C-alpha cells in the first residue's frame, strides 16, 4: 500500500468517526521535522522523544540524507 492510499483510508476512518460524534480532527501529513525543530519542541515540552522516533527518518534516508 502506498502512502496516498493509506492517507485516503485514514481520512475516511476519521470522517466516519466524526459522523458518529467522536472528536476526530483532520489528518495532517507533512514532511519530517528537522532535528533542530524536534529539539525546539522537546525544549518546549520539557522532555525528550524516544530515540526510536528521532532516528526513524534518518534511517529511512540512509547515512547521507539521501532517499532510498
Amino acid at each position: 500500500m502506498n502512502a496516498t492510499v493509506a492517507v485516503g483510508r485514514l481520512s475516511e476512518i476519521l470522517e466516519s468517526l466524526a459522523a458518529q460524534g467522536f472528536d476526530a480532527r483532520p489528518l495532517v501529513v507533512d514532511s519530517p521535522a528537522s532535528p533542530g525543530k524536534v529539539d525546539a519542541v522537546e525544549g518546549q515540552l520539557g522532555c525528550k522523544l524516544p530515540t526510536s522516533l528521532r532516528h526513524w527518518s534518518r534511517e529511512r534516508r540512509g547515512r547521507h540524507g539521501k532517499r532510498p
Side-chain angles (χ1 to χ4, degrees):
M1 172 183 323
N2 67 35
T4 303
V5 172
V7 169
R9 287 186 181 175
L10 289 170
S11 295
E12 290 171 5
I13 292 168
L14 289 172
E15 289 172 12
S16 174
L17 291 170
Q20 296 174 56
F22 289 92
D23 180 15
R25 302 202 177 127
L27 179 63
V28 177
V29 179
D30 205 345
S31 300
S34 69
K37 287 183 181 179
V38 173
D39 290 339
V41 170
E42 288 177 336
Q44 291 172 350
L45 295 174
C47 64
K48 292 279 188 185
L49 286 173
T51 305
S52 60
L53 292 177
R54 285 188 64 99
H55 297 288
W56 182 83
S57 65
R58 202 173 306 151
E59 290 170 6
R60 294 267 302 162
R61 291 175 182 252
R63 298 184 74 153
H64 303 289
K66 295 179 182 173
R67 294 178 189 255

